[in-house]
Every structure is written in structure tokens, then in C-alpha cells.
Amino acid sequence: MSMNPHQQAIKQLEKVAGLLRSEYHDEDTARFDAAIERLKEPDRVIEGQLEVEMDDGRSETFQAYRAQHNNARGPYKGGIRFHPDVSKEEVKALSTWMTWKCAVTGIPYGGGKGGVVVDPKKLSQNELQRLSRAYARLITPYIGPQVDIPAPDVNTTPQTMAWMVEEYQQEVGRQAKVVDSSHSAAENPLATFTGKPVTLGGSEGREEATGLGGVVVMEKLVEQLFPTKEKKQITVAIQGFGNVGYWFAYLAHQKGYSVVAISDSRGGIYAPQGLDPEYVLNYKKEHGSLPSDGVQEISNAELLELAVDLLVPSALEGVIDKENAHRIQAKAVIEMANGPTTSEADEVLAARNVFVVPDVLANAGGVSTSYFEWVQNLQGYSWPLQEVTTRLKKIMETAFTEMWQMHQKTGQTGRVSAYMTAVQRVVDAMIMRGQV
Ligand code: GLU
């Protein structure tokens, strides 16, 4: 059986630790080893059963988790996903990757991640609201603007965050026995969640931020890999058409790249002459499926193996594995999903010279803009879109350049190169705090 995502995360860490260890001397070597051991497991995992009343009056229970991996560099930070495949091991892995992601970009956070085992497509809006509120009550004692700051992830939205902010604020009031819990004792509830609606303390530019960050990274990669190619000649296949996949596709198309394939959870479409992502989204909204006119219908598996320049997995973990890694024809992979490539597949791709921009860098635009949202909430002042995107571009370009220079210097893969910087930053913070 293949490794679960948390085992993958441990394996990645061990590999990088082996490379970094010689940079630590004398008693710091023991501290380094202790830090690495500790980073293999999250600091804690909060779990519980959420009791939710369904519209027909029945009550159902849903298993829920929040993993807090590490906070040496700042409060735990990361999204909450609603998906039937959520598991404790998955949430642990995702929280570990958040620690590296925040360190790679240099934003002052640690890593966390939450999840509920649920198929949200089967729930009404009212049921989703009650589920979101139940989740917020479960984690209320463990979150706060300087403690742990949740955000959206797979199948959660600004609306989800709005419900959670409201419930969190009321729950803090109830726990503090404030008479009217709407005047709650919560310290800055808006700064406790990011990815909120703009009218409720959300940031301009947060919605498209993950996709935009990915496209900034793509442009830097293209400068290195295809310096003489025209944008129109560069073909891109995108797997997954949620918030991240859509915005990546839309912005890449807008910049002049050829988005030739798109897929959602049910299947994909391929058009060598290029697709218009905005048209595809509008069609999907109206008809519930991707358009089929003038395109070739393909499966998700086929999309991954297309002969394109850039493959952009933007959905879930483990889609590039040891079975299909040999058949990937793309020249480079930009991981907009978290954990789309298994460690076995990573080795196959490296041997075949397929450059992988790792998730912890490629999709860090989301959490970076969450950071700007949090800063604005703490300041009680909101920034114009232009300020957000200028700062986001700078963070992404710097993180890419650091990764690329490390890759040039060491000959290691993109993932190992990004991890070397990230793991070192986290370990150093733990050593300086005297935690190890
Ligand atoms: N869920 C996103 C991620 O995996 C965003 C996390 C955040 O904004 O805190 O990076």
C-alpha cells in the first residue's frame, strides 16, 4: 500500500534534514535533531464529533479535526476543508506543509489545518451554516488572532468564514458568560479568520490570490525554462476548476498563455487551439458541467498525461503517483494543489528532468494574502487592491528566486530547495526560542 500523506510529509522532512544537518555544529547538532523529531508530528490535533441538525429534523454527526503543527515563527495558520476523504493523517500532513509554506515566503506564521469529513455537495445552505458554526464552536478555545488563524481551503468559502466569525464571537461571549454574547469578549474576531468576505473585513484580492501567486511563479519559471518561447506557444493543462484552478486558468489566459486543458472532479476538456476559462466557468455555472462543443472530452487521468509545457494540478493530493509519473509529458509541474505529487513520483519526475515547483511555494499566494488581510484587520485599516497585489507579487518573486538559486547551487529539486530554506527557518526559530 502506498504511504499516507503524513508519512509522505515525514519522508520529505527526513530527506531535507539529511542535507541540512551538516550546517549545524557542536551542541546545535543535537538541537537540530531534536527539532526535526518534533516537527514530524503536529504540536496537537483537536478532534471532535460535530452534531448537526439536518433540514428534515434528523441530526447527523461529522468527524472534525484541527491540526496545529508548529508555531515557532508565529501563530498557527491554515485553511479548513470540507471533503469526504478528510482524515486525521491528511490534516496532519496539510498542517505540516503550511508550516513550510509560511516559512518559504517568510510570513510570520506557523502551520495549521482543519477538516471535516463531509460531502458538502449533499448539504443545503442552512445545513452548511450549522455545520460551519458547530466547527467554529469546537475550535473556539484553541484559536485567536495571536494563536491560530483559520481560512478557507477545499470546498470552503468566504461565506463559510463569515459564519465561523459570527459563531466564534458568540461562543467566546458565552464561555466568558457575557450577558449579551453579541457584545462578546473576543479579541478582534475579524483577525481570527482570513479569507472573509470583503464587506466583513476580508481583503481586496484574497479571492484570486492563490491563482495570481501561481501565475507570478509560472512567469518566473518560464523565464528560466523557455526564455525564447512566445507566451502563446506555451501550453498549460490545469487539473481542478475550483477557486485555485479557475483563477490560475483565467489569469494565465489573460496574460497570453495557451490554456489547452481544464478539468473538474467529473472530467476534463482539451482544445489544442486554447480555451477561454471565463467562458468555461460561465458555461459550468449555467449547465452544471464543462462545455463539450469544439473540444475533446478527456478524463482527469488523461489530462495529467497530455503533451503540454506546463501541468498544473489544482485539486487534491496524490494525483501524480508512481503509476503515472513515467507517463507525464509536461516539461514542468506547478503544484497549485497541496501534495499532488507522491514522494515516489517526485523521484521519477526528477530522474526524467521534469521540474516541479512545489506546493509550498507555488500556492503560497493564498496564505500570503491572508497575512495581508490579518495585518489590515489588526490595523483596522483596509488597503486598496493595488497595494495587495504589488506586495503579493514581491513575496512570490522573492520566494521563487530563493528556491531557484538554491536549486542552481545544490542541484537539488525545486521541492528540496524550497524545503531547505523553510526547514532551516523553522528549526532556527525553535533553537533561538530555546524550545529544543
Ligand atoms: N488553504 C490555503 C492553503 O492551503 C490558504 C491558507 C490560509 O490562507 O491560511 O494555503
Side-chain angles (χ1 to χ4, degrees), residues 77-80 98 101 113 149-154 194 206 210 338 363-364 366-368 370:
K77 183 84 191 83
I80 298 161
M98 285 308 301
K101 198 182 296 187
K113 188 71 121 207
I149 306 142
D153 193 73
V154 174
T194 61
R206 175 64 185 86
T210 314
N338 289 310
N363 71 31
V367 73
S368 300
S370 277

Side-chain angles (χ1 to χ4, degrees), residues 42 336 339 342:
M336 295 304 290
T342 66

Side-chain angles (χ1 to χ4, degrees), residues 305 320-330 344-345 347-349 351-352 354:
E305 296 171 21
I320 306 178
D321 58 16
K322 63 173 188 289
E323 305 302 325
N324 65 3
H326 301 273
R327 296 193 298 270
I328 301 291
Q329 297 184 67
E344 295 100 331
E347 279 165 28
V348 176
L349 295 179
R352 296 184 53 228
V354 179

Side-chain angles (χ1 to χ4, degrees), residues 179-232:
V179 181
D180 174 358
S181 60
S182 67
H183 294 265
S184 99
E187 176 212 345
N188 206 338
L190 292 181
T192 304
F193 293 83
T194 61
K196 303 179 298 294
V198 173
T199 42
L200 199 72
S203 177
E204 295 290 348
R206 175 64 185 86
E207 187 73 16
E208 63 270 37
T210 314
L212 175 58
V215 169
V216 171
V217 159
M218 173 178 73
E219 299 231 82
K220 297 289 285 179
L221 180 72
V222 162
E223 276 174 28
Q224 299 297 338
L225 298 187
F226 319 114
T228 58
K229 260 196 181 182
E230 269 182 56
K231 290 184 182 181
K232 260 206 320 288

Side-chain angles (χ1 to χ4, degrees), residues 211 215 238 241 244-254 259 262 277:
V215 169
I238 299 167
F241 206 52
V244 176
Y246 169 68
W247 281 106
F248 189 99
Y250 173 82
L251 294 164
H253 171 77
Q254 214 185 32
V259 176
I262 285 175

